[in-house]
Amino acid sequence: MSDYREERRADQAADAEQRRIDAAAADERRLIRQRADDERAARLREQQAAERAKTRQARADARSARRAARGVALTAGNVYRKGTLALVTASALGSLPAQVLHFVHISPMLLPLPFAIEGAAWVMAAGVAYADERGLPGWVRWLLRGLVGVAAGFAASINYSYGRNLAGLSESDAATAGIGLAAVTLLGPVLFEVRQWVATLSAKSGEGDQRQQRRHDRRRRRHHKTVAKLADRLMSAAPLGSLPTEDAWARAWSIVHGTDEPGMTPQLHRYAVRSTTALTDAMREPTPTVPARTGITRRFTDWLMHRQPTPIANSHKKSEINANRSMSDLGESTPEPVTTTTAPEALPAPVVVDLPTPVESTRALAPVAAESTRPRRATGRVPDSARTPRPKRTPDQLLSEARKLTADWSDDELTAESIRKGVRTSAEKARGLRDTLRAERASGEESAA
């Protein structure tokens, strides 16, 4: 019985666990469906927002295009062109009916004449525009303009006579009508010719860059004829259109002058080098000059720098030799030297005094002046060939001098600055010597230990 109850409880627990698992699975499926629905709704909202943004952008672009079209339509050039055409059309519509009525009143057979006269004026005006476009000679354009003037003047005279003879008008009104019809007849061709003249001037002003380019090409070929001939030969040798003009010119310049920079020649390069050298010499600091010493100051300075210790006995002996030499030159006998007897114990100790060496002649001064350590005065730039080359010490020589100098130095005194001042070398080499000496001392201490 107890086993049955235990099995029943186990079955109930299993059923409860299964129901819990089923409920959890159902909740998970519901969450997955809810998440998918949310994602679908989010994508739909994003798509709708993108479509609305696209629609707004399209509307904004359309408004910008309309504003741009209005701006283009309302530009000064467009208004002038379209306005001129409108006035020309109004002129033709105003002048043609009067001519038709005038000729039809004479005879219906004359109906084609007004269209021929008016058409001749406009065809000749179009011919002027065509001549300007093709760049025909000036006499062609002026001939066409003369024909336009003849046709338009004849039509204007017909309209003036027709306006003057209108029935039912006063004298002043008839004159006004005649002048108005004549003016409107001439207005169309005149406006069309002015429009063509303005267009021609605008085209010429737009071709300013091309005109400057042609002027530049002519000037370049005139100044550099050899390069121009070689460039023409290169272009004629290459296939048609394969070698541009500028590339041919650059290649020809390199062949003729040996440089890839157009405009530069060997002469200009030499001139540039000379100018650079002169500028460098001018910017260099001048050598400080020392005022020359003259008179007593110079003699005293030279004596201090070249003095030598001379005993009194030697000086007396040299004086006697000079005296004897002078007496022999005069032909006189040398006097006997006067000797005095003095007790040996009474003689004072010899005293050595530094006296200047007597100058015998002016030739003895030359080596003294040449050996002077005074700084020379600036006399210009000394060429490299006349300069005394400075001896360059090898690293081993520098290390040997540093070892002798720092033999009795302590470790604290062994610095790069002290070595630089003692050995007279650069800071970089002094640091290298310091590191080497410290390494030698450290290796010596290790070996001693």
Side-chain angles (χ1 to χ4, degrees):
M1 192 65 180
S2 59
D3 295 338
Y4 172 74
R5 291 177 179 175
E6 291 177 358
E7 291 178 358
R8 187 176 179 181
R9 284 196 297 272
D11 293 339
Q12 291 176 355
D15 293 340
E17 181 65 21
Q18 186 63 36
R19 287 193 298 272
R20 187 184 64 77
I21 292 173
D22 293 341
D27 293 341
E28 186 176 359
R29 288 193 296 272
R30 187 169 58 255
L31 290 175
I32 292 173
R33 288 195 299 271
Q34 183 67 30
R35 190 180 299 110
D37 294 339
D38 294 342
E39 292 177 356
R40 192 181 301 107
R43 286 195 299 270
L44 183 61
R45 288 194 298 271
E46 291 178 358
Q47 185 178 1
Q48 293 175 354
E51 291 178 355
R52 288 195 297 270
K54 187 177 180 179
T55 303
R56 288 195 298 270
Q57 184 64 31
R59 292 176 180 173
D61 294 341
R63 288 194 297 270
S64 300
R66 288 194 295 271
R67 285 197 297 269
R70 286 196 299 269
V72 171
L74 294 177
T75 56
N78 199 9
V79 170
Y80 176 73
R81 288 191 296 270
K82 293 184 177 181
T84 303
L85 292 177
L87 290 176
V88 167
T89 304
S91 172
L93 293 177
S95 63
L96 190 59
Q99 298 178 54
V100 170
L101 293 176
H102 176 77
F103 283 102
V104 169
H105 179 72
I106 297 174
S107 174
M109 298 295 294
L110 301 179
L111 178 61
L113 287 181
F115 296 99
I117 296 171
E118 195 72 20
W122 292 114
V123 168
M124 294 301 105
V128 174
Y130 180 76
D132 289 336
E133 181 181 354
R134 293 296 180 179
L136 298 180
W139 66 269
V140 177
R141 293 192 289 270
W142 285 108
L143 176 61
L144 294 174
R145 289 191 181 102
L147 295 176
V148 170
V150 170
F154 182 66
S157 65
I158 292 174
N159 287 336
Y160 178 75
S161 62
Y162 180 80
R164 289 284 296 179
N165 297 323
L166 285 176
L169 296 179
S170 62
E171 185 66 23
S172 61
D173 293 340
T176 302
I179 294 173
L181 288 174
V184 79
T185 303
L186 294 174
L187 182 64
V190 170
L191 289 178
F192 191 83
E193 180 60 27
V194 171
R195 176 180 179 273
Q196 182 60 32
W197 179 56
V198 173
T200 303
L201 292 179
S202 301
K204 288 183 178 180
S205 63
E207 293 177 356
D209 297 338
Q210 298 179 1
R211 189 164 55 254
Q212 291 180 1
Q213 181 65 34
R214 290 193 297 270
R215 188 182 300 113
H216 171 71
D217 293 340
R218 289 194 301 270
R219 187 186 305 113
R220 185 166 66 171
R221 296 183 69 87
R222 186 173 63 254
H223 291 171
H224 311 284
K225 296 180 180 180
T226 304
V227 180
K229 292 180 180 179
L230 183 57
D232 293 340
R233 290 180 178 272
L234 292 175
M235 293 180 63
S236 63
L240 180 62
S242 62
L243 183 61
T245 305
E246 293 300 328
D247 294 345
W249 186 270
R251 190 178 302 176
W253 189 276
S254 177
I255 294 172
V256 173
H257 297 290
T259 176
D260 295 335
E261 183 179 359
M264 291 301 296
T265 61
Q267 293 81 5
L268 292 179
H269 276 293
R270 287 194 293 269
Y271 190 80
V273 170
R274 290 197 300 269
S275 300
T276 305
T277 304
L279 179 61
T280 304
D281 295 341
M283 295 178 63
R284 188 178 300 164
E285 290 189 9
T287 305
T289 58
V290 179
R293 300 183 180 91
T294 57
I296 299 175
T297 305
R298 180 175 180 178
R299 290 197 296 271
F300 183 73
T301 304
D302 293 342
W303 171 70
L304 288 178
M305 289 189 297
H306 302 284
R307 63 195 179 99
Q308 296 179 357
T310 305
I312 291 180
N314 293 339
S315 64
H316 284 300
K317 185 177 181 180
K318 192 168 185 179
S319 300
E320 292 177 359
I321 293 172
N322 293 333
N324 294 336
R325 184 180 303 163
S326 61
M327 295 295 288
S328 61
D329 294 338
L330 295 175
E332 299 179 359
S333 60
T334 304
E336 294 292 335
V338 179
T339 57
T340 57
T341 57
T342 308
E345 60 273 5
L347 292 175
V351 180
V352 179
V353 180
D354 294 339
L355 293 177
T357 304
V359 180
E360 297 182 2
S361 64
T362 57
R363 295 182 181 180
L365 294 176
V368 175
E371 296 177 359
S372 176
T373 59
R374 293 186 296 106
R376 296 176 56 189
R377 291 190 298 172
T379 58
R381 184 174 180 270
V382 180
D384 296 338
S385 59
R387 294 181 180 179
T388 303
R390 296 180 58 185
K392 294 184 179 180
R393 294 173 291 182
T394 62
D396 295 337
Q397 293 176 349
L398 288 174
L399 182 59
S400 177
E401 293 181 8
R403 285 172 180 166
K404 293 179 182 179
L405 179 66
T406 61
D408 54 349
W409 287 11
S410 62
D411 294 340
D412 296 336
E413 295 175 348
L414 191 61
T415 60
E417 183 65 20
S418 301
I419 295 174
R420 184 186 67 80
K421 293 180 179 179
V423 184
R424 294 184 177 276
T425 185
S426 62
E428 182 179 1
K429 293 182 180 179
R431 288 192 293 270
L433 294 173
R434 178 200 62 192
D435 298 339
T436 303
L437 294 175
R438 286 184 178 178
E440 290 179 355
R441 290 191 179 188
S443 61
E445 292 177 357
E446 291 180 358
S447 60

